[in-house]
Structures are given as C-alpha cells and as structure tokens.
C-alpha cells in the first residue's frame, strides 16, 4: 500500500510499504477513505523528529471502511463505516472504567513514562503506524472505532477522530458559566471548534484571538468576536479591558508549544533540532523547550478565580510558570490529552442532522490526494494559500 512516511525534519514522502495485517485477536484492518493533517503533526514535521525514525507512518485523524476483524472483535464487521480515535484504549482497564481513555493502562507506553499509545505519533507513544495511508491496523478494535452512518460526507464525521472531541473537552474543562465569557487563543482547527462549541454549550460571549487573516475571517463567519493580536501591544490587558475590567471567565489555549512571539522558545527548538537524536530526546524531555507566550498571556488575561484550559500540546518538563500570580489570582488550570470516546456519544447526535450546528462542513480548506501529502504539509506549516485544514484522500 501507499503511506506517508517521515524521513527527516520537514521531509515526508509517500512510499510503498507492506500492507497491515491482523496481528492480535482484538485488531481490525480499515480501508482509509479520508485522513486529515493535524496541527500536532506539524510538531513531528519540526521539533519532535528525534523520536521518529525514517519510514515511520504518520497520521492520527482517520476514517474508513472495515475490511477485516480479529476473532475477539464482535462489535464490528466488514463493511462498517468507522472513525478511528487517535488514542488507542481498551475500554475496560482501571483508567478506561473512569473514562480516562488517554491514560489507558493496557496501551500505556510505560517505557517512556507516557499515557495511552497514539496512532502515528513517535516512539514516545508507541511507534504505532498511522493513518495517512491506504490501510490502517487498529489495535483494541473491540472498543475504539466509532461506528457512523453509511451515508453523509466523510467530513461530517472525520473530525470525531481528534479535533472535535479535543475541542469539546477543552470547552468542558474551561467550565465557562452560563452566559459568561470564553476567550480562545489560537483559531486553528481546534480553536475554531472551541469557539463554536463554547457558543453551543452556553457561553454568552466568545472571543477568538489569532494573527492569521483567514482564521480570523472563518471565526467571524460563525459569529465569533475576534481580536487580531498583531494590532495589540498588550493582549492580556486588552482582554481584561474588553470584559468588564476583570477578564474572561475562562480562557482556552489552543496553540501550544510552537506559539508565535516566543523568540527564546523558537531558538531552543532550533537548537534542539540540531542535536543528535539521543541528546535531543533528553533535552526535549527534561528541559523546557516550549514557547510559552500564549500560555502566559492566557494566565494573565483570565479573571480572578477563572479557569485556563489547555488543548494545545506542550512538551517540556522545566517550563517556567508564573506560580505566584496563578496562586494569588486563584486560577484553575486544566489540561490533558483528549479522552476521545468519553465525548463522542455527546457529539455524534449533533452530526447526524441537517443543520450542522458545529459547522463541521465549514472547516476544511483543502482536499488533496494522499500523493500530494508532502506539499500539503509544507503548505499547512507555512500557512500558505489560506490553508486551515487539509483532508487527504488515499
């Protein structure tokens, strides 16, 4: 089959690789019909290269048709249409029983001290081949895949694999009071959904912040109040002034480790990228290499007693935090990898009707063949051609 493989920093290639096969009785084989490029994939394209090896298959936002199932997979059959959650969880361990699926004890990558295994996402999370390919082996298929209707555009359901439940969890964690104000830093795909979900779940006012014109315009189209951070000298101060002199009740950081406006963090990323893999791994794991400008701005902007919710990915272990300010202002901080299956039963009914309340069919800007994936990664990384979300068709 053809699959997108990592070959080095900013070097991904579509190659011929062996077809996946059933290896465990709880496996399934899925023929991929659509697979998306996630903002998290750009971390692999840039700073997380030391945890990859040439030939690793990328991709963790996938859906398709069941081709084959192992003998212990009784809830799926060939021909079923499914979305595949990006984290691999068994559904029955101690963590899964508490709906902490991103911490599944069956698939935890204990050798790296990490949580549940992820598709297409480095040795830190199990080196499981990803879904930017023609076929995908799905471990723990007795629980993971989400069965969806046979009809309807792929993009009505594809985002259940990651960014839609990730945004749903971020909004739930933000806990904006009914009628309150939610601010969303970063209007990439997750941030767009955070803003829309915030309104859907009862926030009286949602303010989105970004510096990319196309992202600001897309949010405006969905009734979101927007701020162009290029026009602001003091982003937290502007938000505080805009919301009763107190600041928003809740703030979501949907940006993460590669935020703009962090020259020291950018320099650290570049320096780590020049080191041998083993040393770079140690630096990435033990030393703060994140760009923290957005997180610090979120902490400064939220009102006293408010909540900051992190959906953007961070990777350093020694990142400096303004703990005195956080303590004094009584800020709550919630975060974590999304527990996809915890939220999908709540979201799925919103996708089945004709009204599309979350605007899932108004997010993708580019649909390209899998063969064009290298160009798509470059375009997405450089934010060229108005690119906000790319869906690949194998």
């Amino acid at each position: 089959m053809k699959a997108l493989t990592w070959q080095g920093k900013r070097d991904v290639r579509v190659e011929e690789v062996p077809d996946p096969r059933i290896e465990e009785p709880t496996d399934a084989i899925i023929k991929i019909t659509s697979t998306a490029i996630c903002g998290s994939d750009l971390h692999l394209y840039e700073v997380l290269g030391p945890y990859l090896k040439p030939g690793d298959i990328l991709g963790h936002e996938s859906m398709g048709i069941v081709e084959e199932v192992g003998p212990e997979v009784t809830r799926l059959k060939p021909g079923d249409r499914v979305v595949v959650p990006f984290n691999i969880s068994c559904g029955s361990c101690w963590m899964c029983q508490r709906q902490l699926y991103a911490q599944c004890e069956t698939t935890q990558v204990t050798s790296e001290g990490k949580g549940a295994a992820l598709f297409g996402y480095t040795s830190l999370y199990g080196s499981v081949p990803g879904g930017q390919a023609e076929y995908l082996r799905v471990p723990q298929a007795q629980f993971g895949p989400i069965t969806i209707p046979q009809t309807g555009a792929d993009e009505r359901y594809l985002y259940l694999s990651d960014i839609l439940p990730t945004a749903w969890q971020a909004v739930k964690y933000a806990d904006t009071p009914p009628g309150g104000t939610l601010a969303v830093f970063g209007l990439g795909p997750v941030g767009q959904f955070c803003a829309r979900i915030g309104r859907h779940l009862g926030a009286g006012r949602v303010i989105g912040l970004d510096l990319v014109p196309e992202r600001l315009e897309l949010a405006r189209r969905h009734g979101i109040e927007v701020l162009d951070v290029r026009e602001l000298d003091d982003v937290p101060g502007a938000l505080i002034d805009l919301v009763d002199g107190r600041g928003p009740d809740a703030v979501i950081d949907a940006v993460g480790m590669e935020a703009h406006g962090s020259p020291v963090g950018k320099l650290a990323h570049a320096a780590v990228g020049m080191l041998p893999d083993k040393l770079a791994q140690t630096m990435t794991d033990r030393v703060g290499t994140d760009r923290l400008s957005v997180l610090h701005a979120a902490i400064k902007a939220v009102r006293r007693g408010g909540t900051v919710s992190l959906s953007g990915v961070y990777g350093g272990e020694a990142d400096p935090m303004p703990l005195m300010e956080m303590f004094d202002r009584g800020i709550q901080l919630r975060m974590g990898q999304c527990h996809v299956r915890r939220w999908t039963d709540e979201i799925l009914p919103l996708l089945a009707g004709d009204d599309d309340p979350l605007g899932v069919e108004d997010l993708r800007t580019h649909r390209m063949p899998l063969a064009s994936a290298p160009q798509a990664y470059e375009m997405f990384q450089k934010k060229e051609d108005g690119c906000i979300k790319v869906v690949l068709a194998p």
Side-chain angles (χ1 to χ4, degrees):
M1 70 169 183
K2 295 188 183 304
L4 184 73
T5 63
W6 184 91
Q7 298 296 333
K9 184 175 181 179
R10 299 180 195 162
D11 182 4
V12 295
R13 306 174 197 171
V14 176
E15 296 188 327
E16 196 73 30
V17 301
D19 289 352
R21 57 183 179 80
I22 298 290
E23 298 178 14
E24 300 290 340
T26 53
D27 287 350
I29 303 297
I30 309 297
K31 179 179 174 60
I32 300 298
T33 56
S34 290
T35 181
I37 302 176
C38 180
S40 297
D41 290 327
L42 296 184
H43 303 324
L44 310 183
Y45 199 60
E46 290 280 350
V47 301
L48 293 181
Y51 295 99
L52 291 159
K53 63 183 185 299
D56 281 352
I57 300 173
L58 305 182
H60 60 268
E61 297 184 359
S62 305
M63 66 174 290
I65 306 298
V66 176
E67 287 271 308
E68 184 182 1
V69 298
E72 293 183 15
V73 180
T74 58
R75 54 181 290 273
L76 300 177
K77 64 183 184 304
D80 283 349
R81 189 183 187 206
V82 296
V83 175
V84 183
F86 75 96
N87 42 25
I88 303 169
S89 46
C90 72
S92 59
C93 69
W94 191 92
M95 288 289 182
C96 287
Q97 287 174 17
R98 289 153 180 81
Q99 296 188 302
L100 299 173
Y101 301 120
Q103 308 299 336
C104 173
E105 291 178 325
T106 300
T107 72
Q108 269 182 21
V109 186
T110 54
S111 61
E112 299 289 347
K114 296 296 184 283
L118 310 179
F119 287 103
Y121 216 78
T122 81
S123 59
L124 289 174
Y125 290 97
S127 295
V128 181
Q132 289 169 0
E134 293 180 312
Y135 293 90
L136 176 67
R137 181 178 76 90
V138 180
Q140 305 298 326
Q142 82 288 349
F143 175 71
I146 305 154
T147 305
I148 59 171
Q150 291 286 350
T151 58
D154 273 13
E155 285 156 48
R156 178 61 71 118
Y157 300 100
L158 174 62
Y159 307 130
L160 280 172
S161 59
D162 179 357
I163 58 173
L164 196 51
T166 291
W168 192 276
Q169 176 172 293
V171 173
K172 289 282 193 174
Y173 280 9
D175 197 26
T176 311
T181 299
L182 170 68
V184 180
F185 279 77
L187 292 171
V190 170
Q192 295 286 340
F193 279 146
C194 285
R196 301 175 197 181
I197 291 166
R199 290 191 63 193
H200 179 78
L201 293 181
R205 187 179 184 187
V206 179
I207 304 169
L209 300 94
D210 208 293
L211 46 69
V212 179
E214 293 85 1
R215 293 178 174 186
L216 294 165
E217 180 55 36
L218 179 57
R220 280 194 197 96
R221 193 157 75 225
H222 287 267
I224 306 302
E225 185 178 348
V226 299
L227 291 176
D228 186 337
V229 298
R230 297 171 301 177
E231 300 174 356
L232 302 174
D233 294 327
D234 177 6
V235 174
L239 272 174
I240 290 169
D241 290 344
L242 201 58
V243 189
D244 305 321
R246 295 190 188 92
D249 299 289
V251 177
I252 293 174
D253 173 359
V255 179
M257 68 167 75
E258 294 189 83
H260 289 270
S262 300
V264 174
K266 183 175 182 180
L267 181 63
H269 282 185
V272 169
M274 296 172 66
L275 296 172
D277 281 358
K278 285 297 183 184
L279 183 55
Q281 288 175 8
T282 301
M283 290 288 289
T284 300
D285 191 40
R286 300 300 178 191
V287 179
T289 60
D290 298 317
R291 307 187 202 176
L292 299 173
S293 60
V294 168
L295 177 56
H296 286 185
I299 289 167
K300 290 179 181 295
V302 73
R303 68 158 169 81
R304 289 178 177 271
T307 301
V308 174
S309 172
L310 305 187
S311 64
V313 175
Y314 286 94
E317 285 201 11
D319 291 330
M321 296 290 288
L323 289 175
M324 182 176 71
E325 183 167 3
M326 295 167 67
F327 183 86
D328 175 69
R329 301 179 67 225
I331 292 169
Q332 300 179 76
L333 188 62
R334 299 195 69 185
M335 68 192 81
Q337 203 77 264
C338 180
H339 308 295
V340 173
R341 286 298 307 274
R342 178 174 180 174
W343 311 109
T344 50
D345 286 349
E346 293 181 36
I347 301 170
L348 197 52
L350 301 176
L351 308 180
D354 295 329
D355 52 346
D356 191 15
L358 303 182
V360 293
E361 293 190 16
D362 186 27
L363 182 74
R364 185 264 299 162
T365 53
H366 295 75
R367 186 172 181 89
M368 303 171 69
L370 179 65
S372 299
Q375 296 93 318
Y377 264 76
E378 182 177 7
M379 176 179 62
F380 189 24
Q381 197 266 342
K382 293 181 177 178
K383 300 180 177 66
E384 294 175 339
D385 195 33
C387 183
I388 295 175
K389 187 66 175 178
V390 181
V391 175
L392 302 172

